[in-house]
Amino acid sequence: MASAFSHVVVAAALGMAWRPAARSLRFWVFGAACSVGPDLDVLGFWFGVPYDHPLGHRGMTHSLLFAALLALGVVAAAFAGPEWSGARLRVWGYLFCATTSHGILDAMTNGGLGVAFFAPFDSTRYFLPFRPIEVSPIGFGEFFTAYGWAVLASEIRWVWTPSPAVRRVRVVGAAPTRLIIFLRGLACLCREAVRWTPTPRRDGAA
């Protein structure tokens, strides 16, 4: 997986294109939360859920369906006020994109299993052909080691540095148009995705 730091960086960059006219800390906080939310599946390791199980790490919680449902649930719970009546679709689109970006980043790492983008309908794990990001350790303590710093350096190069350019892109059009643009790009990525094949990986990395 990529680190939580980089997932939040990407969510912030996406938020610049999706942000509603009304400024709200809530918009940014839930965007960041959705971007790291899929990694709650690591709790399965402590309950004996195998890595390659549909509910294992990079499984169901990294899928497009989970992203859509999570975004829907957050909008219903946190953006139900009348001040959001004209912006809920835009907020849902942003939260969906922020959550989906998690799996995309993970599919660009050089370790672990692939990402089950289409679970529960298809449990196949996928990587993207371009995988320059050093896979992050799962354990928090291991992040503050030489390997952890190498991971951070990789993410600064491949995730953080390009993000300001993304932030300057203002997607034009109504929320449905923005979502269509994102989904078209996602479809292109999925078309280029390759099935996961076993490769050596660093112990404790995901």
Side-chain angles (χ1 to χ4, degrees):
M1 63 185 180
S3 72
F5 305 112
S6 291
H7 289 305
V8 171
V9 167
V10 171
L14 289 169
M16 297 301 293
W18 282 88
R19 66 186 185 276
R23 304 287 180 171
S24 173
L25 180 61
R26 183 183 311 181
F27 177 81
W28 301 103
V29 168
F30 280 101
C34 284
S35 74
V36 299
D39 272 345
L40 287 174
D41 60 11
V42 298
L43 296 175
F45 288 130
W46 282 269
F47 292 97
V49 179
Y51 197 153
D52 58 355
H53 189 275
L55 296 180
H57 185 45
R58 292 187 176 180
M60 181 63 198
T61 63
H62 287 57
S63 69
L64 299 179
L65 178 62
F66 177 84
L69 294 177
L70 177 63
L72 184 63
V74 172
V75 169
F79 296 89
E83 68 274 21
W84 296 99
S85 61
R88 290 193 190 100
L89 181 58
R90 180 180 297 181
V91 173
W92 178 87
Y94 165 57
L95 297 178
F96 171 75
C97 293
T99 309
T100 302
S101 72
H102 185 113
I104 294 174
L105 281 187
D106 280 6
M108 294 175 65
T109 62
N110 62 3
L113 302 189
V115 177
F117 286 114
F118 307 110
F121 311 106
D122 177 11
S123 60
T124 302
R125 303 294 188 103
Y126 294 92
F127 277 120
L128 296 180
F130 185 59
R131 298 168 58 191
I133 303 173
E134 191 72 29
V135 67
S136 176
I138 292 179
F140 185 76
E142 191 177 351
F143 200 84
F144 296 97
T145 63
Y147 176 68
W149 291 116
V151 169
L152 188 59
S154 171
E155 293 182 352
I156 289 174
R157 177 182 181 184
W158 295 108
V159 182
W160 298 26
T161 300
S163 289
V166 176
R167 291 180 60 184
R168 294 190 183 97
V169 176
R170 182 71 174 176
V171 182
V172 297
T177 304
R178 298 164 189 252
L179 188 58
I180 289 172
I181 292 173
F182 178 81
L183 291 177
R184 283 181 175 176
L186 183 60
C188 291
L189 288 177
C190 291
R191 188 172 62 245
E192 297 299 324
V194 294
R195 291 175 183 268
W196 169 77
T197 53
T199 54
R201 68 183 183 91
R202 180 183 174 88
D203 290 340

